[in-house]
Amino acid sequence: MALHQKTACRKQWGLSQRRGQKIYYKLDCQQPSGSFKIRGIGHYAEQLKAQGVLSLVIASGGNAGLAVAYAAQALQLKAEVVLPLSSSLFVEQLLLDLGAKVYRSGESWAEAQTLALELAQAPQAAYTPPFDHPMLWEGHSSLVEELAEQLPQAPDLILLSVGGGGLFKGVMQGLAQQNWSTKVCCLETEGTASLHQSLAAGRQIELAKIEGIASSLGAKKVAQAAWEAAQSPQVYSRVLPDELALWGVKQLLAETGHLTEPACGLVRAALVQDWPEIQAAKHIVAIICGGRTMPIEQLSL
């Protein structure tokens, strides 16, 4: 039995009427771990348990770690999460509440990963990557499978945010499985735009550092498979500032009752841009990917 839940896909009536489009929110903020991450990580965790793994190990400052902790609890496994030293006590407490053993190591995710890989060498332990693994993408593709059941027809455009690219790659796989020619708009903030910069340069770019409020999009470099998928002519890449991402968070809170992260606010803000792909679309799905790592105090910034 899958560890993720089938989440609601709701038409936003007022927004649709004002814009003359059919706009739907796919609310993966309703997932038990708080974000879409449980789709892929839960799927992979089930495979690991079947192979005899007893402890799931990950380096994560946020939602991937929460998904590992939730999956481990559901499967009666141990969870070991390595946080960078910069991670908040808020996130640490969320992990502890889910029964995870929490370590702190390194100034960056890459440095935290070094310890996680060491811990994963223990007998019956396994490293769980946050976004770069075929089993994760397969799990994330279930989102599109659900859309096929929930929507009256294939959407013209899907909006989603991109960090490491796991959700994007999973959605692209799901679209292929449904034989949908839906366009995909990949969204990043100015301080996390590794995919956008890579596409502009014609080669994969690794950011020197992550800046801004969208910490859950903080991969310095997207997965190779995501980079390759982004070469498709059906894919667009757009960047918006932090201010609009935060504006979008407030809009989503008012419209859905869910407090989400700037990664989701980014998607909401994209809906009111005058980009050609937005203007041309008649049926749009905005993936509200979720996330629990933003304290409510940040809304006042």
Side-chain angles (χ1 to χ4, degrees):
M1 181 179 176
L3 300 185
H4 69 268
Q5 296 177 358
K6 182 177 180 178
T7 56
C9 183
R10 295 178 183 162
K11 184 176 180 181
Q12 296 307 112
W13 293 96
L15 188 60
S16 296
Q17 186 175 33
R18 289 192 296 274
R19 295 193 57 81
Q21 297 166 306
K22 293 181 180 178
I23 297 172
Y24 296 85
Y25 289 170
K26 179 59 172 166
L27 296 172
D28 251 36
C29 51
Q30 296 177 340
Q31 291 293 352
S33 71
S35 81
F36 79 95
K37 291 281 189 181
I38 191 59
R39 291 183 183 273
I41 285 175
H43 181 57
Y44 189 32
E46 289 182 299
Q47 309 301 317
L48 291 172
K49 181 177 180 178
Q51 296 167 16
V53 168
L54 297 179
S55 181
L56 305 176
V57 184
I58 191 169
S60 170
N63 295 304
L66 290 169
V68 162
Y70 176 83
Q73 188 181 74
L75 295 172
Q76 296 183 306
L77 302 174
K78 294 179 181 178
E80 297 178 271
V81 181
V82 184
L83 296 176
L85 295 173
S86 58
S87 295
S88 69
L89 292 174
F90 175 74
V91 172
E92 181 175 348
Q93 190 58 55
L94 290 175
L95 290 165
L96 292 171
D97 289 346
L98 283 168
K101 185 172 183 179
V102 178
Y103 303 82
R104 284 186 175 267
S105 180
E107 297 298 329
S108 67
W109 174 80
E111 293 174 2
Q113 187 188 32
T114 300
L115 176 57
L117 291 171
E118 291 176 8
L119 293 170
Q121 297 302 311
Q124 296 179 298
Y127 178 70
T128 309
F131 56 81
D132 194 358
H133 195 282
M135 294 302 292
L136 302 185
W137 310 327
E138 186 176 290
H140 297 330
S141 72
S142 63
L143 189 150
V144 181
E145 185 179 344
E146 289 176 18
L147 290 177
E149 299 172 1
Q150 295 170 318
L151 295 174
Q153 64 188 95
D156 302 322
L157 180 68
I158 288 177
L159 302 175
L160 54 80
S161 56
V162 172
L167 174 61
F168 165 59
K169 174 60 176 172
V171 165
M172 293 297 285
Q173 286 190 191
L175 292 175
Q177 290 162 5
Q178 297 298 327
N179 291 315
W180 283 359
S181 57
T182 302
K183 295 178 172 61
V184 178
C185 185
C186 297
L187 298 156
E188 297 167 292
T189 57
E190 292 169 346
T192 64
S194 57
L195 177 61
H196 191 78
Q197 290 190 27
S198 296
L199 290 170
R203 59 183 176 84
Q204 272 200 281
I205 297 292
E206 182 170 346
L207 301 178
K209 60 180 179 178
I210 299 298
E211 297 181 309
I213 63 171
S215 59
S216 63
L217 302 183
K220 292 183 178 179
K221 185 178 181 180
V222 296
Q224 176 69 23
W227 159 246
E228 293 170 1
Q231 310 304 309
S232 167
Q234 76 190 85
V235 175
Y236 299 82
S237 171
R238 298 288 187 177
V239 176
L240 288 172
D242 282 356
E243 292 77 14
L244 283 180
L246 198 56
W247 173 86
V249 169
K250 295 175 182 178
Q251 292 297 118
L252 287 173
L253 181 58
E255 293 166 348
T256 71
H258 292 288
L259 176 62
T260 57
E261 293 184 355
C264 301
L266 197 59
V267 174
R268 175 60 180 86
L271 285 167
V272 296
Q273 303 306 307
D274 60 0
W275 303 327
E277 65 273 21
I278 298 286
Q279 298 294 328
K282 295 181 180 179
H283 302 85
I284 301 176
V285 171
I287 298 179
I288 312 304
C289 58
R292 295 192 59 205
T293 65
M294 189 181 84
I296 195 168
E297 291 79 12
Q298 197 167 2
L299 277 178
S300 63
L301 295 179

